[in-house]
Amino acid sequence: QVQFVESGGGLVQPGGSLRLSCGASGSIFSIYAMGWYRQAPGKQRELVAVISSGGSVNYVNFVKGRFTMSRDSAKNTLYLQMNSLKPEDTAVYYCNTVPEISSAWGQGTQVTVSS
């Protein structure tokens, strides 16, 4: 059963940076597209970045140029480098396959952007 564990969140000032990590329980990156999702208070969870099994990355417009998604297949780990953070980036960030495996959601990692 696939499971994910996210880490790296925290409190950061506007304009700051964070690097999130997501550990997967197995070697799945060559099989599945993977995504970083986020859920802000009172809002639905949304997909913000996707990396295909072949390694191509796509971003939603509101993070393009600020966020960079990468992976280390040898470590079964995804990363999300987030720069120029804005208060509206405040959310719990999750990773999962794309489309998601409903039973694989982890606890997520809280990112709070505030002065």
Side-chain angles (χ1 to χ4, degrees):
Q1 183 177 357
V2 177
Q3 291 184 318
F4 303 107
V5 178
E6 301 88 354
S7 62
L11 173 64
V12 63
Q13 292 186 341
S17 299
L18 284 173
R19 188 193 195 204
L20 307 184
S21 299
C22 165
S25 58
S27 301
I28 63 170
F29 297 162
S30 62
I31 302 172
Y32 296 103
M34 295 296 304
W36 279 101
Y37 301 77
R38 72 185 187 186
Q39 186 167 20
K43 295 187 177 181
Q44 289 189 332
R45 187 152 41 198
E46 60 185 357
L47 180 64
V48 299
V50 180
I51 186 166
S52 71
S53 57
S56 299
V57 185
N58 285 283
Y59 305 92
V60 295
N61 284 339
F62 52 80
V63 305
K64 199 173 291 184
R66 300 188 298 123
F67 290 10
T68 302
M69 183 177 185
S70 60
R71 70 185 183 192
D72 185 333
S73 297
K75 296 181 179 179
N76 297 328
T77 302
L78 294 175
Y79 302 99
L80 187 68
Q81 177 67 43
M82 305 187 297
N83 300 326
S84 302
L85 283 162
K86 304 176 181 180
E88 51 264 43
D89 295 319
T90 295
V92 180
Y93 285 72
Y94 304 86
C95 63
N96 204 326
T97 56
V98 178
E100 70 267 25
I101 298 173
S102 58
S103 61
W105 291 109
Q107 294 296 310
T109 186
Q110 175 71 48
V111 172
T112 303
V113 185
S114 176
S115 56

